Amino acid sequence: MGKGIDCSGYLFLAAKWAGITGVTRTTSQRMAMGLGGWIGRDIDFTEADECDLPFWTFRQDRPYGHVGVLLRRPEGMPGVTHASSKRGVVLRDLTGPLLRNLSKVRRLTIGD
């Protein structure tokens, strides 16, 4: 049984709670393209900072099929928070498959 929220729904709610207006509930792939008000620019992973959006392609038939938010962890390891309808919201180290399958990182420019 699922937990009721997927990755793009989680980011939509986080944006809403942060007072970001003008974004719509859409898919991670559309978010990666800047649609639905998710305005930003793609950046190199070496430039990535807290609150940038990492996108993953775990299956070739679903490019940018998953999205999360980068975080700084006190122990220095980059972290990411993301959600799946099976596991709910999780905080993980950005290692292993999460690092290997990283497709791109996007910095939102909403409100800039």
Side-chain angles (χ1 to χ4, degrees), residues 37-63:
W38 294 91
I39 302 164
R41 63 183 175 86
D42 295 347
I43 60 171
D44 190 82
F45 178 67
T46 59
E47 299 174 46
D49 202 356
E50 193 166 49
C51 295
D52 288 334
L53 306 183
F55 291 86
W56 295 276
T57 299
F58 292 115
R59 295 181 4 205
Q60 291 307 309
D61 63 331
R62 289 192 64 212

Side-chain angles (χ1 to χ4, degrees), residues 2-79:
K3 303 280 185 190
I5 192 166
D6 64 5
C7 61
S8 55
Y10 169 55
L11 264 66
F12 173 73
L13 287 175
K16 183 177 174 179
W17 293 332
I20 297 172
T21 60
V23 295
T24 62
R25 171 70 173 91
T26 189
T27 66
S28 57
Q29 185 174 16
R30 290 178 52 83
M31 290 169 73
M33 296 185 299
L35 302 175
W38 294 91
I39 302 164
R41 63 183 175 86
D42 295 347
I43 60 171
D44 190 82
F45 178 67
T46 59
E47 299 174 46
D49 202 356
E50 193 166 49
C51 295
D52 288 334
L53 306 183
F55 291 86
W56 295 276
T57 299
F58 292 115
R59 295 181 4 205
Q60 291 307 309
D61 63 331
R62 289 192 64 212
Y64 311 119
H66 194 62
V67 63
V69 179
L70 293 175
L71 301 173
R72 285 192 197 144
R73 310 271 309 265
E75 56 276 1
M77 173 72 65

Side-chain angles (χ1 to χ4, degrees), residues 1-5 66 82-90 92:
M1 178 176 274
K3 303 280 185 190
I5 192 166
H66 194 62
H82 61 107
S84 78
S85 55
K86 292 180 183 173
R87 294 186 206 118
V89 177
V90 296
R92 316 263 315 263

Side-chain angles (χ1 to χ4, degrees), residues 89-109:
V89 177
V90 296
L91 173 63
R92 316 263 315 263
D93 290 336
L94 189 57
T95 60
L98 290 177
L99 187 57
R100 276 192 311 274
N101 294 300
L102 189 65
S103 325
K104 74 173 179 176
V105 178
R106 188 163 180 82
R107 179 162 294 154
L108 295 180
T109 56

